[in-house]
């Protein structure tokens, strides 16, 4: 969990799945730029939930 949003970091359980490890780091950057929040909850052998909250700006 500690490195989950770091670019290039790939967990050891990734198996043969290809990728660069950029996914969540890009999402985190987007959320930060929009002054939002990202909550990550994970339970071993159950799954992971990612909740993104962005502020509503009425124009």
């Amino acid at each position: 969990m500690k490195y989950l949003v770091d670019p290039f970091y790939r967990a050891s359980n990734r198996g043969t799945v290809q990728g660069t490890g950029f996914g969540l780091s890009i999402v985190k950057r987007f959320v930060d730029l929009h002054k939002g929040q990202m909550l990550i909850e994970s339970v071993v052998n159950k799954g992971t939930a990612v909740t993104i909250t962005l502020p509503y700006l009425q124009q």
Side-chain angles (χ1 to χ4, degrees):
M1 291 287 291
K2 180 178 173 181
Y3 303 107
L4 201 53
V5 296
D6 289 356
F8 300 114
Y9 181 78
R10 307 261 340 256
S12 61
N13 65 346
R14 66 174 165 60
T16 60
V17 177
Q18 295 183 350
T20 59
F22 271 124
L24 285 178
S25 66
I26 292 171
V27 172
K28 176 70 171 134
R29 179 76 174 133
F30 174 85
V31 170
D32 289 346
L33 286 171
H34 290 279
K35 297 181 177 24
Q37 295 179 344
M38 186 165 92
L39 173 66
I40 302 172
E41 298 174 286
S42 186
V43 178
V44 176
N45 296 322
K46 292 265 185 169
T48 301
V50 179
T51 304
I52 296 170
T53 306
L54 299 174
Y56 175 76
L57 300 176
Q58 189 171 6
Q59 299 206 12

